[in-house]
Amino acid sequence: MQRRTLLAQALGVGGFAITGKAAAQAITLNGASQFNDEHAFTRCLVRFEELVRQYYGEPINFVLHKNSSLGLEKQYFEYMSQGRALDYGIVSPAHMSTFSRAAPFIDAPFLFRDLAHWNRVMDQDLLKPIGDEVEKRARVMLVGYAGGGIRNIFANRPLTNLAELRGVKVRVQGAPIWSRTFAAAGMSPTVIAYNEIYNAIQNGVIEAGENEAAGVEQMRFFEVAPHLAQTQHAVTVRPICFSAGSFARLPPKLQAAIRRAGPEAAAYGRQIESGEDSQKIDALAAAGRLKKVEFSDRQALMDKVAPVLGAYAREIEAEGILGRITGVAG
């Protein structure tokens, strides 16, 4: 991690750079993805770059650091908040909790009834109040909302109902809502860094994790936890983030291009991730790498967790957001 920090610092305070001479100057923007070229997040960011370049119409360079070469999403958000090393990236809302207690709530487990409900919430821009708070407190703009992956539990044994979830040691994200909801479901949640999950399962520290199909495939979790319990407990929200410090130093025409490109690139990201989600799972199952396990108690699981979700919303003063999301028809 020290190597990554030094590398990030080496990119220069302020994130972006000016290259060339006089009228030929071109701005360079640095982005980051934890994943490779094929992952939905990386493809979404490439689309963002293409759209910014199209709408700006002036010389501009993009450098996208892939495969966690600049660390993990938590570091990305810190860099963007500090206005150094990194200008844009996709970050899980769980990593924004230091600045906004409500931010992780937009990606909370058991919040969305299904993918259709999630899509309607995205279309109505109901997450804007949280985006405004993050920008004010963290100085990171949420210029679009990608995601759309359906998260399930992968485990080293089959989990088919609520009774079989009881006591299972499962890795969860760092935001408190994840630990609380999984504990309410009867599991034993623990926070472990994303890049340590594989070894933790292999070594018996935990028995399960939870992720969308792209992550299961990319990180090869199926090798140590081949049973995928189809709890469908969450639909991901993955904001395209942009450093407000970097943004403020850009010319107005480029600022306008970024604001225009963000929602369009995010919509593209949602389309490819949600569209490929089931295909990836089916392909892994067909290859004998993953065993799909029907989970019979999904509604009972949702009902069990609902009071915890409501109590947490009251605690972080997000009752209005929860009400608007749950009130979306369908």
Side-chain angles (χ1 to χ4, degrees):
M1 190 60 69
Q2 183 180 15
R3 179 184 65 82
R4 290 169 176 163
T5 301
L6 292 173
L7 176 59
Q9 291 173 343
L11 292 175
V13 175
F16 67 85
I18 304 293
T19 61
K21 296 182 180 180
Q25 286 183 338
I27 294 170
T28 295
L29 297 176
N30 283 282
S33 170
Q34 288 184 172
F35 305 104
N36 63 15
D37 289 335
E38 300 305 314
H39 194 279
F41 294 177
T42 307
R43 292 157 63 191
C44 178
L45 290 175
V46 169
R47 182 61 175 159
F48 173 68
E49 296 169 357
E50 292 169 349
L51 289 169
V52 170
R53 186 177 285 110
Q54 175 185 335
Y55 296 144
Y56 182 41
E58 304 282 347
I60 184 169
N61 302 313
F62 292 96
V63 179
L64 183 57
H65 304 270
K66 294 168 281 192
N67 295 306
S68 300
S69 61
L70 290 187
L72 302 177
E73 290 176 8
K74 186 177 187 295
Q75 284 78 48
Y76 303 166
F77 195 76
E78 292 170 357
Y79 296 151
M80 286 184 280
S81 179
Q82 294 162 6
R84 66 183 180 90
L86 202 61
D87 303 300
Y88 63 98
I90 289 179
V91 176
S92 167
H95 302 308
M96 305 176 190
S97 58
T98 301
F99 302 94
S100 169
R101 296 176 71 197
F105 195 71
I106 65 177
D107 191 46
F110 312 101
L111 180 61
F112 301 105
R113 293 186 291 274
D114 51 32
L115 185 61
H117 177 221
W118 177 88
N119 268 309
R120 284 189 285 273
V121 171
M122 295 299 108
D123 290 342
Q124 295 180 32
D125 198 22
L126 297 183
L127 307 183
K128 187 179 185 302
I130 290 181
D132 292 343
E133 182 184 23
V134 171
E135 182 175 351
K136 178 181 178 181
R137 295 179 181 272
R139 290 189 52 75
V140 176
M141 302 164 58
L142 309 187
V143 298
Y145 296 94
I150 298 175
R151 295 177 81 95
N152 295 292
I153 295 173
F154 52 89
N156 59 10
R157 63 180 184 272
L159 302 171
T160 65
N161 54 45
L162 272 174
E164 292 177 353
L165 291 184
R166 191 171 299 120
V168 172
K169 294 179 289 185
V170 60
R171 182 268 182 183
V172 296
Q173 298 183 53
I177 187 60
W178 285 84
S179 292
R180 294 188 193 184
T181 51
F182 276 75
M187 304 183 79
S188 178
T190 184
V191 177
I192 293 175
Y194 187 69
N195 58 346
E196 296 175 6
I197 297 173
Y198 187 105
N199 287 338
I201 297 176
Q202 190 174 45
N203 296 328
V205 176
I206 55 175
E207 302 164 281
E210 58 80 42
N211 212 320
E212 62 269 27
V216 172
E217 179 188 54
Q218 171 82 18
M219 303 300 289
R220 304 185 72 82
F221 293 140
F222 54 82
E223 294 180 346
V224 291
H227 303 278
L228 190 76
Q230 297 184 287
T231 51
Q232 301 179 35
H233 56 268
V235 184
T236 61
V237 177
R238 292 293 179 267
I240 300 177
C241 301
F242 202 98
S243 169
S246 298
F247 187 85
R249 296 189 292 271
L250 297 175
K253 185 177 179 182
L254 181 51
Q255 291 179 343
I258 289 167
R259 289 192 182 278
R260 182 179 177 186
E264 291 185 29
Y268 171 78
R270 296 199 302 270
Q271 179 183 13
I272 59 174
E273 184 166 358
S274 62
E276 294 178 354
D277 201 80
S278 61
Q279 296 174 16
K280 289 181 182 295
I281 294 299
D282 290 343
L284 289 171
R289 296 178 173 181
L290 192 68
K291 300 173 183 176
K292 294 194 291 183
V293 179
E294 183 178 352
F295 189 80
S296 62
D297 288 341
R298 184 173 183 270
Q299 188 56 54
L301 180 61
M302 299 282 285
D303 294 342
K304 197 174 183 68
V305 169
V308 175
L309 202 62
Y312 188 73
R314 289 191 294 274
E315 180 182 325
I316 63 173
E317 299 180 348
E319 293 172 279
I321 293 170
L322 176 61
R324 287 191 290 274
I325 289 175
T326 57
V328 171

